[in-house]
C-alpha cells in the first residue's frame, strides 16, 4: 500500500498532511526515511512517524460458502477427510470457519480471520438466529411442533424457545424451517431425536438475514461491504 494511503488509513493524518510529513522526512519505513512514492508491505514493514510506530490496520477477509455435505468444518482433519478449506481459492487459505456444520449438513458457512466477528456469531449470549431447512424421516405432529418450539431435553439440558415453521408434511416425512439462537453440538438433529424422529436432510439457509442467494452447492465468494457491515453490526 502507498505510504500516504497507509498513514491516512491508520488515522495518523489526512492524505495531504501525510504527504507533508513524508516530505518533512518525519516518516520512516524500517528505519529509513521514505519518500512519497514508497509502498508499505502491511505484513512485514515497520513504519514510524517522528520516531513513533504506526500500527497496521489489519484488513480482514470474509467469505460465504454453500457447504456441501461430505466435508468437515475444520482447517485440517486428522482422518484425512475433505475439509471446507479445500473449497477455498488458494489466496484464502488462512481463514477459519465460523462455527461448525456437521459432515452431513450443508449450507451457509462464513469463513474469516476476524476473531471478533467469529466470537460475536458463535457466542450463545449474542443469540444470533440461524435458520435451517429440515427434512424428517417421519411426519412431525402438531404435538411435536409444540414441544420443539418450547424446548426439548438434549443431554439433560432444555433447548431454548425457538421458531419452528412447518412447510409441508406427508406420510414420508415433513419439511420445516427451524430457527435457533443457540449452537449446541448437532442441536437440530438431536432436537428431532428428542421427539422420536430423525433428520434426513439438513441445510443452514440463513444467519440473521444473510442468505445463500446465488451461491450453488460447493461455491464460495467474498462477502460484499454491505453484508460485512450487516454482520459486524448484528
Ligand atoms: N444442527 C445440527 O444438528 N447440525 C448442524 O450441522 C448444525 C445444526
Amino acid at each position: 500500500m502507498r505510504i500516504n494511503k497507509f498513514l491516512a488509513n491508520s488515522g495518523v493524518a489526512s492524505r495531504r498532511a501525510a504527504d507533508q510529513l513524508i516530505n518533512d522526512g518525519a516518516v520512516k519505513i524500517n528505519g529509513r526515511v521514505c519518500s512519497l512514492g514508497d509502498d508499505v508491505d502491511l505484513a512485514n514493514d515497520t513504519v514510524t512517524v517522528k520516531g513513533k510506530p504506526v500500527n497496521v490496520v489489519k484488513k480482514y477477509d470474509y467469505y460465504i460458502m454453500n457447504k456441501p455435505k461430505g466435508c468437515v468444518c475444520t482447517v485440517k482433519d486428522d482422518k484425512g477427510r475433505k475439509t471446507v478449506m479445500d473449497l477455498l481459492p488458494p489466496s484464502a487459505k488462512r481463514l477459519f470457519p465460523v462455527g461448525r456444520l456437521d459432515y452431513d449438513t450443508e449450507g451457509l458457512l462464513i469463513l474469516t480471520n476476524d476473531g471478533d466477528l467469529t466470537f460475536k456469531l458463535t457466542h450463545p449470549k449474542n443469540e444470533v438466529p440461524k435458520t435451517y431447512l429440515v427434512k424428517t424421516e417421519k411426519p412431525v405432529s402438531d404435538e411435536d411442533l409444540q414441544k420443539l418450539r418450547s424446548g426439548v431435553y438434549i443431554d439433560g439440558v432444555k433447548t431454548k424457545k425457538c421458531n419452528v415453521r412447518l412447510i409441508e408434511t406427508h406420510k414420508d416425512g415433513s419439511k420445516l424451517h427451524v430457527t435457533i439462537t443457540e449452537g449446541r453440538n448437532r442441536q437440530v438433529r438431536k432436537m428431532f431425536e428428542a421427539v422420536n424422529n430423525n433428520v434426513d436432510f439438513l441445510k443452514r439457509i440463513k444467519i440473521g438475514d444473510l442468505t445463500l442467494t446465488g451461491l450453488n452447492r460447493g461455491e464460495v465468494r467474498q462477502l460484499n461491504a454491505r453484508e460485512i457491515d450487516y454482520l459486524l453490526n448484528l
Side-chain angles (χ1 to χ4, degrees):
M1 186 185 291
R2 199 50 57 86
I3 181 66
N4 59 354
K5 184 172 180 200
F6 169 79
L7 293 174
N9 284 1
S10 307
V12 168
S14 67
R15 202 72 88 86
R16 190 174 302 169
D19 287 353
Q20 191 59 51
L21 285 167
I22 294 163
N23 283 332
D24 290 344
V27 184
K28 291 181 181 172
I29 302 176
N30 300 327
R32 269 194 293 168
V33 174
C34 69
S35 46
L36 276 181
D38 288 352
D39 284 327
V40 185
D41 175 346
L42 298 187
N44 297 308
D45 288 343
T46 304
V47 177
T48 56
V49 174
K50 297 181 183 164
K52 289 200 185 122
V54 178
N55 290 328
V56 175
V57 178
K58 192 170 174 344
K59 189 184 164 304
Y60 297 115
D61 290 317
Y62 305 88
Y63 283 74
I64 179 171
M65 176 184 288
N66 185 348
K67 176 196 175 293
K69 63 189 276 188
C71 64
V72 284
C73 272
T74 47
V75 174
K76 205 167 188 308
D77 183 48
D78 45 16
K79 295 187 192 137
R81 289 173 298 181
K82 185 170 167 175
T83 80
V84 289
M85 307 314 283
D86 297 325
L87 298 171
L88 289 172
S91 55
K93 284 291 177 197
R94 275 180 302 147
L95 303 175
F96 303 95
V98 177
R100 297 258 166 106
L101 290 176
D102 308 329
Y103 185 77
D104 285 327
T105 301
E106 46 185 89
L108 200 166
L109 183 70
I110 291 167
L111 298 110
T112 184
N113 46 12
D114 180 345
D116 288 344
L117 180 70
T118 301
F119 182 81
K120 182 180 222 171
L121 294 181
T122 54
H123 199 286
K125 87 170 168 32
N126 294 324
E127 302 196 340
V128 175
K130 287 143 192 150
T131 303
Y132 295 84
L133 169 64
V134 183
K135 292 181 190 166
T136 57
E137 189 186 66
K138 293 185 287 186
V140 177
S141 67
D142 285 346
E143 195 190 335
D144 293 341
L145 284 176
Q146 288 318 321
K147 283 186 191 161
L148 290 161
R149 286 177 183 135
S150 56
V152 290
Y153 282 88
I154 295 179
D155 306 324
V157 180
K158 199 174 181 185
T159 55
K160 285 191 181 156
K161 281 201 177 77
C162 70
N163 208 301
V164 182
R165 188 155 70 89
L166 185 66
I167 310 288
E168 60 185 45
T169 195
H170 41 78
K171 67 175 178 17
D172 297 326
S174 302
K175 192 163 140 186
L176 313 99
H177 282 175
V178 176
T179 303
I180 55 174
T181 54
E182 306 169 276
R184 293 167 60 184
N185 184 36
R186 297 177 70 81
Q187 177 161 341
V188 176
R189 292 178 194 277
K190 287 181 178 174
M191 284 169 66
F192 283 87
E193 280 163 24
V195 293
N196 299 313
N197 209 327
N198 274 310
V199 170
D200 276 344
F201 175 86
L202 186 59
K203 177 176 183 175
R204 183 155 65 197
I205 53 173
K206 269 173 136 188
I207 293 182
D209 288 335
L210 188 71
T211 67
L212 281 168
T213 309
L215 213 54
N216 292 323
R217 189 176 282 136
E219 285 184 347
V220 57
R221 67 166 172 84
Q222 284 193 275
L223 289 176
N224 63 37
R226 186 182 45 76
E227 292 165 328
I228 295 168
D229 205 49
Y230 168 72
L231 290 178
L232 295 177
N233 289 296
L234 261 178

